[in-house]
Amino acid sequence: MSAAARLCLDAVTLGRLMPMFLWLDTDGMIRAMGPTLTKLVGADAVGAHASDHIRMEGCGGTEAQLWQMAQDPERARRIKLRLKAHPDCVLRGHAVPIGDATCGPSGGVGILVALSFGIGLIAAVRAHDLTDADFAPTDMAMELLFLNESRSGVMAELRALNERLEDARREAEAQAMSDPLTGLANRRALEQELERVVALAARGGSPFALAHIDLDHFKEVNDTLGHAAGDGVLARAAEILREETRRSDMVARIGGDEFVMVLRGTVSRPRLKALGERIIARLETAELADGQPCRVSASMGVAISSDYRPPEAERMLADADAALYVSKRAGRGCCTVAEGPRVPGGPVGGVAAPRAAEA
Amino acid sequence: MHGIVNRSIQQFIVDVYGASLWAEIAVLVGAPADGFEALLQYDDTMTLALIETAALRLGRRREAFLEDLGAHLISRETLRRLLRFGGMDYADFLFSLNELQGRAQMALPDLELPSLSLRARADGQFTLEVRAETEGWGAVFTGLLRAMADDYGALVLIEMVSAEPPRQGRPGIERVEITLHEARFASGRRFDLVLPQGVAS
C-alpha cells in the first residue's frame, strides 16, 4: 500500500508548503514556481524556457544538464542556481525527477527543485523586501536572521568592551611611563627607549645622540619663590625641550631638575652643539605663564652613538653625564659634546672622561 | 547574573529617572563606578540588591518596578527587533516564548533566562508559566508582553495571577495570564527582517 501511495498536489498547495519550489517539464519549460520564487523571477517566466531565467552554477548550465543531474541522486543532492534577473543571488537547491509517462499530458512529469537562499539570505531579504510570510515555517531563515542580528549586537558590545579595556590599558601604561608634573617620559620610559635605540643602532639603524641636561640655579628659584614656582619652571622647561625636539625624539625627566633627550638621527657635532645652545638661550629668557622670568639656565652634556662600536646605553649615559660636568665646571650655561672613546679600528677600550669640545 | 541583566536595569534607571539617580543607587549597592559591563558576569546578590534599592528609592513596589523595567526593555531597538523575529503576529510571538530561552542562549550562551512555557487555555486566552531561581521574572515579562502587544498593534489584557516562590533549589513558578482581544487592533510598529545596509540597531 505505502509503496503505491501517490500524492496529488496542485501547484498552489505545493507553493504554500514550499514557497521556493521550481517545477520544470521534460523539455526544460518552467511549469510552475512557488510564490517567493515568483517574486524573484517574475510571473511571466512560467511557460518560458528555464535557461532564459536561471543558470546552473558550476556547469555551463542548461536545463538538459539539470535534467541529467536530477536523474542522479548522488549529484542532485546539492545544486546551485543563479537567477539571470539578479545575478548576485545564488540559490541552493535539490532537484528530483517526478512522475512518469503514465501520468498523462496534464500530470506532474519533470523535475521538481526545492530551493532556498543559503548564506545569501540576508542580502536577498534586503534586496527583495521579503517578509516572514515569504518563508515556510520549517525554513530556518528566521533563525538565521535572528542569529545574524544577535551576533552583530554581541560583537558590537565586545568591540566596545575591548575599546574600553584598551583605553584603560593605554592610560595605565602612559601613567607608568610618564612624569606627572611635566608630562614628559620618566626614567622607566627612557630606559626602554634607550634599549630600543641602542638595539636599532647596533643593527645598522639610525644613530642617535643622548643629551643630559641639568637646570642651573633651579634650587635658588625653589628656595626663594617656593615649590609652586619651581614646578612652573620645570613645566616651562619641559615645554621648551619638547618644542626644540622632533616627535621621534624622546624627552625624559629623570629626577628633580635633570632631563635626558634621545635625539634620533642627529649626530653632527656642530648641529648638536647649536641645538644645545639654542635650548640654553631659550631657558635663560623663559617666562612663566604670569610673565615672571624663570631665572634659570642649563648645563648640557651630549654623547653620540656613532662614537661607540657597538653603542652601549650605560656607557653613553655616563659619558653624557661626564660632559655635563665639564659644562658645569666651565661656568655653567653651556653645552659640551663628548669626544667619545677613541676607536682606532678595534673594540672600545677603557676610556677615561671625555674631553670637552671647545665651548 | 549576566551583566546584560544588570546593564538593562542600569539603562532603565538612567533613561527614565536620570543619571544622577543612577549614580546615587550605584553607590548604595556598590555597583562599578563606570556601570555594568554587558558581557561580564556579576553575582546574583548584586542584581537583587540593585532591584530592591532602586524600588525603595523610587517608592515603588518591587513588582511594579520590574513591570516598568520589562516594558522599557522593548524601547531598545535591538531587543525589540530580536523579539519580533519570534513571529508574524502577536499570537505567533506568544508561542515563540517557548523557545526564548534557547534563542537567547544561541546569542549569549551564558545568559540564563527563565524557562517559559505558554499554554492556550481557550480561544485568545493564554497562560505563561515563568520558572526561575529568582523571583520577579513574571513581573518583567508582564511588562515586556504589554509593550510587545503595542509593538504588534494587538489589544490584550495581561496580568500576573499567581506565584510560587522558589524553595530548596526548586525554581519558583510565576503565572501570567494573557487575553488577546484583537490581534490587529492598531497598525503596530514597522519591522523589516533585515536592517538597511550600514544601519546598526
Side-chain angles (χ1 to χ4, degrees):
Chain A
M1 164 68 196
S2 65
R6 297 179 72 90
L7 185 62
C8 285
L9 286 178
D10 58 79
V12 173
T13 310
L14 187 60
R16 282 167 59 195
L17 199 59
M18 298 164 56
M20 299 260 297
F21 85 86
L22 172 67
W23 172 22
L24 306 183
D25 67 15
T26 47
D27 298 324
M29 308 283 262
I30 298 178
R31 287 288 302 270
M33 292 182 289
T36 304
L37 189 61
T38 307
K39 259 192 184 178
L40 269 61
V41 181
D44 54 349
V46 173
H49 234 273
S51 57
D52 293 342
H53 296 278
I54 55 179
R55 215 153 52 81
M56 286 278 293
E57 273 294 291
C59 58
T62 64
E63 64 285 346
Q65 280 163 316
L66 180 61
W67 178 248
Q68 268 183 357
M69 285 178 78
Q71 307 288 338
D72 178 350
E74 282 302 306
R75 292 181 65 202
R77 199 162 280 162
R78 192 156 295 198
I79 61 169
K80 282 194 174 158
L81 299 180
R82 197 181 281 273
L83 302 179
K84 289 193 168 168
H86 307 286
D88 47 353
C89 182
V90 177
L91 301 176
R92 160 179 101 180
H94 179 195
V96 287
I98 53 166
D100 54 51
T102 63
C103 285
S106 68
V109 186
I111 312 170
L112 188 61
V113 190
L115 291 167
S116 84
F117 288 106
I119 208 67
L121 173 73
I122 293 154
V125 170
R126 188 174 284 136
H128 306 289
D129 275 334
L130 301 178
T131 71
D132 38 9
D134 291 314
F135 296 95
T138 48
D139 197 317
M140 294 300 275
M142 291 303 117
E143 280 72 15
L144 195 65
L145 294 172
F146 168 87
L147 263 184
N148 173 57
E149 206 156 311
S150 57
R151 179 198 56 90
S152 310
V154 172
M155 288 300 288
E157 270 302 334
L158 268 179
R159 210 160 32 236
L161 172 59
N162 274 336
E163 274 166 18
R164 283 193 292 275
L165 290 176
E166 179 59 15
D167 284 351
R169 193 189 65 77
R170 273 180 211 276
E171 176 105 346
E173 196 179 69
Q175 275 176 15
M177 290 294 191
S178 68
D179 166 44
L181 175 64
T182 59
L184 295 178
N186 63 10
R187 186 181 284 274
R188 188 203 307 228
L190 173 69
E191 279 165 8
Q192 272 192 19
E193 174 71 356
L194 276 177
E195 203 174 306
R196 201 172 70 84
V197 293
V198 161
L200 276 173
R203 282 175 181 76
S206 63
F208 63 94
L210 204 59
H212 195 169
I213 304 155
D214 191 274
L215 295 187
D216 297 326
H217 319 300
F218 178 71
K219 194 173 174 307
E220 289 98 294
V221 173
N222 237 356
D223 290 348
T224 56
L225 300 177
H227 287 290
D231 286 354
V233 168
L234 290 172
R236 183 75 194 103
E239 259 171 42
I240 291 171
L241 295 181
R242 242 190 316 238
E243 284 163 13
E244 291 296 335
T245 49
R246 291 168 301 183
R247 276 175 63 86
S248 56
D249 298 334
M250 173 181 269
V251 183
R253 176 170 172 240
I254 59 166
D257 55 355
E258 272 184 83
F259 301 86
V260 170
M261 301 192 298
V262 180
L263 307 163
R264 309 280 313 274
T266 318
V267 288
S268 140
R269 284 192 148 70
R271 285 173 67 182
L272 284 166
K273 194 152 169 51
L275 172 69
E277 280 161 3
R278 193 164 64 240
I279 288 173
I280 292 165
R282 282 195 65 186
L283 285 169
E284 287 175 349
T285 55
E287 293 178 348
L288 294 177
D290 59 5
Q292 213 185 146
C294 286
R295 292 184 228 275
V296 290
S297 180
S299 299
M300 247 170 113
V302 182
I304 298 169
S305 72
S306 47
D307 289 342
Y308 303 80
R309 298 221 164 77
E312 284 171 48
E314 243 172 80
R315 175 165 218 141
M316 284 182 66
L317 273 174
D319 289 354
D321 195 43
L324 167 69
Y325 276 91
V326 171
S327 295
K328 289 262 185 202
R329 279 198 298 276
R332 302 182 171 178
C334 61
C335 172
T336 307
V337 181
E339 279 301 308
R342 292 269 151 242
V343 278
V348 179
V351 170
R355 296 193 324 244
E358 62 223 75
Chain B
M1 197 74 72
H2 201 282
I4 206 165
V5 175
N6 292 7
R7 243 273 285 276
S8 301
I9 300 174
Q10 171 189 338
Q11 204 80 53
F12 167 55
I13 296 172
V14 170
D15 287 356
V16 178
Y17 302 102
S20 61
L21 189 93
W22 161 249
E24 195 185 310
I25 292 169
V27 169
L28 289 174
V29 298
D34 297 335
F36 294 104
E37 281 295 347
L39 295 176
L40 298 181
Q41 291 280 346
Y42 296 90
D43 202 276
D44 278 5
T45 54
M46 168 64 80
T47 312
L48 296 175
L50 186 56
I51 294 167
E52 199 183 309
T53 309
L56 200 68
R57 176 63 185 73
L58 294 167
R60 311 216 56 199
R61 283 183 307 112
R62 186 176 191 270
E63 261 180 31
F65 174 78
L66 291 175
E67 279 185 21
D68 289 354
L69 167 66
H72 181 264
L73 290 173
I74 304 310
S75 70
R76 307 201 72 80
E77 184 66 0
T78 317
L79 187 60
R80 177 189 90 89
R81 285 188 53 80
L82 290 178
L83 287 169
R84 283 290 295 256
F85 280 111
M88 269 197 274
D89 56 31
Y90 193 66
D92 247 15
F93 161 73
L94 286 178
F95 280 104
S96 79
L97 291 172
N98 290 325
E99 300 168 3
L100 189 73
Q101 200 182 27
R103 277 181 183 251
Q105 278 171 2
M106 281 208 291
L108 288 171
D110 48 358
L111 173 60
E112 281 180 38
L113 284 188
S115 138
L116 303 177
S117 75
L118 185 90
R119 276 185 305 112
R121 282 181 294 123
D123 195 29
Q125 300 205 314
F126 307 89
T127 304
L128 178 70
E129 284 192 353
V130 183
R131 281 162 214 268
E133 311 278 337
T134 44
E135 283 175 273
W137 283 104
V140 173
F141 275 97
T142 302
L144 183 147
L145 292 183
R146 282 193 192 126
M148 283 305 284
D150 284 346
D151 208 81
Y152 276 102
L155 184 63
V156 294
L157 187 69
I158 298 171
E159 269 182 309
M160 206 161 110
V161 288
S162 68
E164 296 164 27
R167 65 172 83 92
Q168 283 149 24
R170 285 229 316 273
I173 306 175
E174 295 168 316
R175 289 185 188 83
V176 180
E177 281 192 4
I178 302 128
T179 311
L180 177 55
H181 290 293
E182 218 174 309
R184 295 206 180 279
F185 177 71
S187 58
R189 277 173 71 194
R190 187 188 164 98
F191 173 65
D192 297 319
L193 285 184
V194 292
L195 291 162
Q197 205 117 36
V199 173
S201 65

